[in-house]
Amino acid sequence: MTARTSASAAAAAHGGPPASGAGADLLGLAPDDLPDGLVVADEHGRVICFNAAAARITGVDPSDALGRPFGDALPLQDIEGRRWWQLTDPYGGLAIRRGQPERNLLLGGREVLVSARYVRSAPTGPVRRLVIALRGTEARRRTELSHAELIATVAHELRSPLTSVKGFTATLLQKWERFTDDQKRLMLETVDADANRVTRLIAELLDISRIDSGRLEVRRQRVDMIAAVRRHVQAQTTAGQRPDRFLIRMREPLPDLWADPDKVDQVLGNLLENAVRHGEGTVTIEVGPAKDAGGGEGTSVTVSDEGPGIPEESMSRVFTRFWRGSKRGGTGLGLYIVKGIVEAHGGAITVGRAPAGGAQFRFSLPVAAPAFLA
């Protein structure tokens, strides 16, 4: 007998309405259709509904729970080992109580997220139904692990530049007269570079926070994508890359593009840096007009290299947090931020294999409207 039929039978035996309720009947839903665990007790505190999700989360067979007192069917304890139902006393206590917020409780050594609703026949009347919602802790644990990994990554990335800054500044303060001007300049340039590294990391963390909360702001201005690409290639060659390593291809005319120039620079800089650091051979940047799925105009940019590329099994994880294509450093946050920026513009980004065998990233941005018209 399934949890659904058992719940209905138990409800009928106790003279109550069907376990799914009239509203659920209108929607064509049953307790087993719900993604979360559902346990319902009647006015006497006996379980009349115990759906399949509740059985999966708690490890309790529905046949062992139906018809039993809810406290015996779900002997929940708090972190200190106290019986939860004795503490909350759903059917007693203040008549104005409407339920219990979600809490992390223990059930036979298993962690379960539990919330409860007290259904009363009148605002201060007796409890007619006790509705208990159950959820597993896997999603919360994944979030906690992600946050812990983020903290560990940030701590690791901050330690090196801050140690350098601290060491050089302390040395200069203590022994300023012993160094030549060239030595002082070298140390100060190192401090400046490491300070910039810390600043970039902090900016990445702020971007991640805004992306996760949906608060990433886009300040649209007229953007010359070809000029932006050339500027970033020039920055790479100034930093020591060979000019002949880069090939720019343009397909004109391009439509007028309104986007956030700072964030477009962030996307281009990240993709070019990835191609230079993790790829090999010539880095090709193609800029041209594009059409979105709805036929709207836009601009696309494709960055490809001739390196080993990205394994097929890893392509689905490229834009997730902490993914690293190699052991050549980096926080593993850049492509996650790139995807968030592109999508905040209403665009799309994909990854694939380049014709020469390396990695190929392609993003497209819609024409959109300037900020003062948005």
Side-chain angles (χ1 to χ4, degrees):
M1 182 179 291
T2 65
R4 182 188 308 172
T5 54
S6 296
S8 300
H14 286 82
S20 56
D25 289 341
L26 290 174
L27 296 173
L29 295 176
D32 286 355
D33 296 328
L34 301 176
D36 293 338
L38 174 67
V39 179
V40 181
D42 63 11
E43 63 271 21
H44 304 295
R46 295 191 174 274
V47 176
I48 60 174
C49 176
F50 199 96
N51 73 350
R56 172 178 53 80
I57 293 169
T58 63
V60 176
D61 191 279
S63 61
D64 294 334
L66 292 168
R68 297 181 62 193
F70 69 93
D72 295 338
L74 291 176
L76 296 166
Q77 296 180 335
D78 64 12
I79 303 301
E80 297 178 3
R82 297 173 296 184
R83 296 287 298 269
W84 179 243
W85 296 121
Q86 291 181 0
L87 293 175
T88 57
D89 189 15
Y91 291 85
L94 293 174
I96 60 172
R97 295 184 306 164
R98 303 188 64 182
Q100 292 289 335
E102 186 175 76
R103 297 177 184 274
N104 193 355
L105 299 175
L106 299 175
L107 181 64
R110 181 183 309 215
E111 291 189 17
V112 184
L113 297 173
V114 182
S115 59
R117 174 70 67 181
Y118 306 156
V119 180
R120 302 178 184 274
S121 54
T124 58
V127 174
R128 184 170 60 87
R129 291 288 186 271
L130 171 63
V131 181
I132 304 165
L134 306 172
R135 291 196 299 133
T137 58
E138 293 82 3
R140 178 173 291 185
R141 285 192 177 280
R142 285 194 297 269
T143 301
E144 291 174 350
L145 286 174
S146 177
H147 289 165
E149 190 172 0
L150 179 61
I151 292 171
T153 299
V154 171
H156 175 75
E157 292 294 323
L158 285 175
R159 184 181 296 115
S160 176
L162 288 179
T163 299
S164 171
V165 169
K166 177 63 177 175
F168 278 122
T169 53
T171 302
L172 287 171
L173 287 171
Q174 295 172 6
K175 304 176 182 178
W176 180 267
E177 295 81 5
R178 299 185 185 182
F179 296 108
T180 65
D181 288 345
D182 289 341
Q183 290 173 326
K184 293 174 183 176
R185 176 177 292 277
L186 177 61
M187 285 190 279
L188 289 174
E189 287 175 347
T190 304
V191 168
D192 183 63
D194 285 333
N196 287 337
R197 181 176 165 188
V198 172
T199 301
R200 285 195 302 271
L201 180 58
I202 292 173
E204 285 184 347
L205 294 176
L206 291 173
D207 285 336
I208 287 176
S209 173
R210 294 182 183 118
I211 290 169
D212 289 346
S213 62
R215 294 185 293 106
L216 187 65
E217 293 185 4
V218 175
R219 304 181 186 276
R220 298 185 186 273
Q221 301 176 37
R222 176 73 171 85
V223 173
D224 186 340
M225 187 65 79
I226 293 176
V229 168
R230 285 174 173 160
R231 186 170 63 251
H232 280 276
V233 170
Q234 179 64 40
Q236 289 290 335
T237 57
T238 303
Q241 295 296 323
R242 302 188 322 273
D244 61 356
R245 189 178 179 187
F246 300 93
L247 174 61
I248 301 176
R249 292 176 178 166
M250 297 170 289
R251 290 184 290 114
E252 299 183 281
L254 294 177
D256 287 342
L257 176 66
W258 295 85
D260 189 317
D262 292 336
K263 290 182 171 52
V264 168
D265 280 342
Q266 197 171 349
V267 171
L268 290 174
N270 194 291
L271 294 181
L272 279 176
E273 184 177 344
N274 273 355
V276 169
R277 177 184 295 178
H278 304 293
E280 297 173 4
T282 301
V283 176
T284 303
I285 306 101
E286 299 182 30
V287 183
K291 296 283 187 182
D292 59 24
E297 290 187 320
T299 298
S300 70
V301 178
T302 304
V303 179
S304 56
D305 63 72
E306 298 174 344
I310 299 170
E312 194 72 29
E313 63 273 13
S314 299
M315 286 190 179
S316 61
R317 298 185 287 110
V318 166
F319 298 109
T320 59
R321 288 185 185 181
F322 309 118
W323 183 85
R324 296 178 178 89
S326 70
K327 298 181 180 179
R328 300 181 188 176
T331 61
L333 301 174
L335 291 175
Y336 176 81
I337 294 172
V338 163
K339 183 174 185 288
I341 290 174
V342 171
E343 291 181 346
H345 280 80
I349 184 167
T350 59
V351 61
R353 188 166 292 280
Q360 182 180 80
F361 289 89
R362 181 182 186 274
F363 72 92
S364 59
L365 301 177
V367 169
F372 60 84
L373 294 179

